[in-house]
Amino acid sequence: MRAGISREKIEELVVLYREKLIYFIYRYVKDLDTAEDLAEDVFVEILLDPDRFKQQSSVKTYLFAIGRNKAVDFIRKNSKLTLLNGAGDITAEDELELLMRKRQDDILTLSSVEGDPEAELLKKENAQEVLDALQNLRPEYGEALKLRYFEGLSYDEIGQIMDKDRKQVENLIYRGKNNLRVLLENMGSEVY
């Protein structure tokens, strides 16, 4: 079987993953225009060298790994930006808005509350508390949790993106969830 990605497949990948990749990169660089540019660079790189993909992982994992590398390179070149929890202009409300737009199924909800304004407000407050708590975790815990629960990636895929083995990813997620739980309890949140 031939390694690589066909031109038609690349066009399909752009449609399927462009927006997710932009939001993934955005969490690193904290600038939507930059995230869009870097995501475009990912697809251009794949277009220019489609045979580099050796099918040792899923295409989504491959895209996100390239995206992460481009984001980290960008941050290194622009030292005033910091990795993940840096001092960016993004507010928790902005990140909440992006996450809500990105995930129409709203993974942060506890139950379906359509049509109930009070329940909708509670849902947004709970989501805001989770996002605030995520900002206060160690960066690698937050990254692992976001990849797992916002992007729906497997432990192996997260390991490929973060350059960690499966056991390290399991530990990051376990510790991240424990720390997140403690932070939420300290904030008095009902989201556990």
Side-chain angles (χ1 to χ4, degrees), residues 97-113:
E97 165 100 16
L98 289 168
L99 289 173
M100 294 301 185
R101 277 182 26 210
K102 184 183 88 160
R103 296 293 299 246
Q104 294 299 317
D105 60 342
D106 195 6
I107 63 170
L108 297 174
T109 61
L110 297 173
S111 62
S112 178
V113 292

Side-chain angles (χ1 to χ4, degrees), residues 15-74:
V15 171
L16 286 173
Y17 295 116
R18 181 181 179 274
E19 190 171 313
K20 287 182 179 189
L21 186 61
I22 288 169
Y23 291 122
F24 173 73
I25 294 170
Y26 174 81
R27 289 196 304 260
Y28 286 93
V29 299
K30 307 294 187 200
D31 179 74
L32 196 53
D33 291 332
T34 301
E36 288 173 347
D37 291 344
L38 293 173
E40 185 177 310
D41 290 348
V42 169
F43 291 112
V44 168
E45 183 174 318
I46 292 170
L47 186 63
L48 293 176
D49 191 8
D51 293 331
R52 195 169 104 186
F53 178 62
K54 303 297 184 204
Q55 300 179 357
Q56 296 171 338
S57 65
S58 73
V59 176
K60 181 179 180 182
T61 302
Y62 180 66
L63 289 172
F64 277 57
I66 295 172
R68 180 180 189 269
N69 291 339
K70 290 202 174 290
V72 169
D73 288 345
F74 175 83

Side-chain angles (χ1 to χ4, degrees), residues 34-176:
T34 301
E36 288 173 347
D37 291 344
L38 293 173
E40 185 177 310
D41 290 348
V42 169
F43 291 112
V44 168
E45 183 174 318
I46 292 170
L47 186 63
L48 293 176
D49 191 8
D51 293 331
R52 195 169 104 186
F53 178 62
K54 303 297 184 204
Q55 300 179 357
Q56 296 171 338
S57 65
S58 73
V59 176
K60 181 179 180 182
T61 302
Y62 180 66
L63 289 172
F64 277 57
I66 295 172
R68 180 180 189 269
N69 291 339
K70 290 202 174 290
V72 169
D73 288 345
F74 175 83
I75 291 166
R76 284 184 186 137
K77 290 176 187 171
N78 299 280
S79 61
K80 60 185 170 183
L81 297 175
T82 57
L83 185 61
L84 289 177
N85 290 328
D89 299 25
I90 183 80
T91 64
E93 293 82 25
D94 292 337
E95 188 164 356
L96 176 63
E97 165 100 16
L98 289 168
L99 289 173
M100 294 301 185
R101 277 182 26 210
K102 184 183 88 160
R103 296 293 299 246
Q104 294 299 317
D105 60 342
D106 195 6
I107 63 170
L108 297 174
T109 61
L110 297 173
S111 62
S112 178
V113 292
E114 189 174 316
D116 184 352
E118 191 173 323
E120 281 290 326
L121 180 61
L122 180 61
K123 175 181 78 173
K124 286 182 181 178
E125 287 175 0
N126 286 336
Q128 186 63 55
E129 288 177 2
V130 170
L131 289 171
D132 289 345
L134 280 171
Q135 294 297 333
N136 292 314
L137 290 177
R138 283 182 44 190
E140 61 184 2
Y141 293 166
E143 180 181 9
L145 289 173
K146 287 175 183 178
L147 287 169
R148 178 72 178 141
Y149 296 105
F150 295 155
E151 301 302 334
L153 298 176
S154 71
Y155 285 26
D156 292 330
E157 291 170 324
I158 294 167
Q160 290 174 343
I161 291 169
M162 294 182 69
D163 196 26
K164 306 273 185 201
D165 64 38
R166 183 181 175 87
K167 183 66 176 168
Q168 289 172 313
V169 171
E170 289 172 359
N171 288 337
L172 288 173
I173 290 176
Y174 176 79
R175 290 177 184 155

